[in-house]
Amino acid sequence: MEMTVAQMTVSDLRDLMSDVFDEKLSEIIDPDAGIELRDDIRERLIQQSKDFAEGKFATVSFSEVLGDLGIDRAEIETEEYVPAKVC
């Protein structure tokens, strides 16, 4: 006998949602499956991984990022600043 959602317990509903979620996740196809990395990209990733593990990774301050973007920090620290809407 099939059950309606109204007849389900919270546990039943969670189980159903989990099953549906697992089923849909298994249907997702990796668009990059089968694509090989170029040798130079592979080497760069390996080196970055080693550098990170050894604590040798570059850090950039917030002020440096703003400077690279041509934004004056004083502009964004005023009450008048309203960030652009992210779409």
Side-chain angles (χ1 to χ4, degrees):
M1 179 173 136
E2 290 189 24
M3 194 182 325
T4 66
V5 173
Q7 297 168 321
M8 290 181 173
T9 65
V10 171
S11 180
D12 291 336
L13 184 57
R14 284 186 178 155
D15 289 343
L16 174 65
M17 292 172 66
S18 179
D19 290 345
V20 169
F21 184 74
D22 289 342
E23 181 181 327
K24 289 300 174 188
L25 267 180
S26 70
E27 294 173 4
I28 295 174
I29 297 172
D30 181 0
D32 295 330
I35 297 176
E36 292 188 30
L37 288 176
R38 292 188 334 235
D39 289 340
D40 61 321
I41 300 296
R42 182 185 322 275
E43 291 303 317
R44 182 175 172 191
L45 289 172
I46 291 168
Q47 187 60 51
Q48 285 177 344
S49 179
K50 288 177 183 176
D51 289 347
F52 183 79
E54 295 171 5
K56 299 183 211 169
F57 51 92
T59 58
V60 180
S61 73
F62 182 61
S63 294
E64 288 175 292
V65 171
L66 291 177
D68 289 346
L69 296 172
I71 299 172
D72 180 7
R73 188 176 188 139
E75 285 180 40
I76 64 169
E77 291 179 346
T78 66
E79 292 178 22
E80 299 163 3
Y81 175 75
V82 178
K85 183 178 179 180
V86 177
C87 296

